[in-house]
């Protein structure tokens, strides 16, 4: 599988965040934002909101003199199996916060070994998860999750996937023509959420944004019942803005 080369806005934010965390970790007694700016090359205008995000997520803390030190969330990660468990717990907490923020069930999905896998999700009584009436692995052409992941693959990767999973018509809105599907994927801006307007299931609308970390395609998605469709675009915009902390958890 080959990913398309275009990085996304959350990807850039995460790369910057990792540089900031590296700079902070090298100064055990604390480091000012001006010093972080000099060491990372990030302008203060970009650094200030990034530090606010890292503080909110607990990855850095600000001490009495205004300097920044490594935060409790980063210290708790540890190493080995404990680190993996801590990261999974932290990621689940981020998803739960995002669910409450957008008022919808949210999902993380990855493209692994040629298949779509929903690796984590957060739902609730008022934000039910989508009914997986057709296996997500077989419905990439119809779901927001699937289309978002396919959009991150090159054409050979897409053709390989569709050679194993045919473009069946799931609803009257499902795109089954490969040429039309590829055209829509190619015209999809990397920074704009991918939408599913009852293409996967009647009565459900969804949105997804890419979470590309390393050589693995991934996405962050949400689903809403059709009666809440009027909230989809606003919720998708919030999802897009909040993608960076989730991707950071995946990158650490």
């Amino acid at each position: 599988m080959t990913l398309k080369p275009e990085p996304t806005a959350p990807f850039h934010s995460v790369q910057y965040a990792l540089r900031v965390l590296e700079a902070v970790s090298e100064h055990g007694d604390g480091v000012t934002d001006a010093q972080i700016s000099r060491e990372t090359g990030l302008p203060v205008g970009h650094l200030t909101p990034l530090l606010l995000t890292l503080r909110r997520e607990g990855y850095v803390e600000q001490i009495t003199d205004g300097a920044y030190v490594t935060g409790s969330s980063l210290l708790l990660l540890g190493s080995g199996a404990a680190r993996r468990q801590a990261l999974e717990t932290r990621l689940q907490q981020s998803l739960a916060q995002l669910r409450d923020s957008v008022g919808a069930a949210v999902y993380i999905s990855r493209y692994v070994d040629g298949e779509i896998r929903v690796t984590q999700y957060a739902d609730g009584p008022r934000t039910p998860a989508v009914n997986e009436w057709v296996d997500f692995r077989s419905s990439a052409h119809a779901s927001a999750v699937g289309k978002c992941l396919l959009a991150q693959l090159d054409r050979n990767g897409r053709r390989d996937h569709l050679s194993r999973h045919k473009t069946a018509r799931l609803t009257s809105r499902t795109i089954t023509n490969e040429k039309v599907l590829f055209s829509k994927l190619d015209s999809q801006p990397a920074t704009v959420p991918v939408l599913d307007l009852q293409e996967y299931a009647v009565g459900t609308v969804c949105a997804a944004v890419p979470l590309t970390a390393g050589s693995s395609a991934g996405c962050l998605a949400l689903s809403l019942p059709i009666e809440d469709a009027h909230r989809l675009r606003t919720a998708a915009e919030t999802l897009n803005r909040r993608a960076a902390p989730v991707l950071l958890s995946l990158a650490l």
Side-chain angles (χ1 to χ4, degrees):
M1 179 192 72
T2 303
L3 296 183
K4 292 172 67 179
E6 298 90 339
T8 64
F11 173 83
H12 283 305
S13 297
V14 168
Q15 295 305 301
Y16 299 153
L18 292 175
R19 286 160 60 183
V20 170
L21 291 177
E22 183 179 2
V24 172
S25 66
E26 291 176 352
H27 297 273
D29 296 329
V31 58
T32 65
D33 53 358
Q35 181 68 22
I36 296 172
S37 179
R38 286 194 294 271
E39 292 185 8
T40 61
L42 295 177
V44 174
H46 288 107
L47 183 60
T48 299
L50 188 54
L51 284 169
L52 285 173
T53 297
L54 292 174
R55 285 180 63 191
R56 184 177 62 242
E57 299 297 317
Y59 292 123
V60 301
E61 296 175 1
Q62 197 167 22
I63 54 181
T64 52
D65 62 356
Y68 293 89
V69 295
T70 299
S72 58
S73 292
L74 206 57
L75 293 172
L76 287 172
L77 291 182
S79 60
R83 178 184 177 85
R84 289 193 296 273
Q85 181 60 48
L87 279 171
E88 185 174 326
T89 300
R90 180 63 187 164
L91 188 55
Q92 193 63 39
Q93 291 172 345
S94 295
L95 287 179
Q97 292 169 358
L98 185 57
R99 173 201 62 203
D100 295 341
S101 178
V102 301
V106 293
Y107 316 78
I108 290 178
S109 184
R110 309 293 291 272
Y111 196 77
V112 182
D113 296 330
E115 298 293 353
I116 291 171
R117 297 182 184 175
V118 175
T119 55
Q120 280 185 258
Y121 69 94
D123 62 352
R126 297 183 179 181
T127 54
V130 65
N131 175 31
E132 190 178 350
W133 77 286
V134 174
D135 194 317
F136 286 139
R137 293 175 298 179
S138 304
S139 56
H141 62 293
S143 68
V145 161
K147 289 187 292 179
C148 189
L149 293 174
L150 289 178
Q152 296 174 59
L153 306 184
D154 62 14
R155 282 186 169 250
N156 288 337
R158 295 174 192 170
R159 289 194 177 102
D160 172 71
H161 184 89
L162 296 182
S163 70
R164 293 178 286 109
H165 300 288
K166 302 304 181 182
T167 54
R169 185 173 299 281
L170 305 183
T171 77
S172 63
R173 295 173 176 265
T174 305
I175 298 173
T176 58
N177 183 286
E178 182 178 299
K179 183 177 181 180
V180 174
L181 177 63
F182 282 16
S183 176
K184 284 187 173 293
L185 295 177
D186 287 335
S187 63
Q188 175 71 34
T191 57
V192 176
V194 178
L195 302 181
D196 159 17
L197 304 177
Q198 301 190 89
E199 296 167 54
Y200 171 74
V202 174
T204 301
V205 294
C206 305
V209 296
L211 291 178
T212 304
S215 59
S216 177
C219 72
L220 180 64
L222 64 82
S223 64
L224 287 168
I226 190 62
E227 55 265 29
D228 290 334
H230 62 282
R231 296 200 295 110
L232 180 62
R233 292 189 183 277
T234 299
E237 290 169 1
T238 302
L239 188 79
N240 207 13
R241 290 196 304 271
R242 296 287 301 277
V246 176
L247 182 52
L248 180 57
S249 295
L250 293 173
L252 288 172

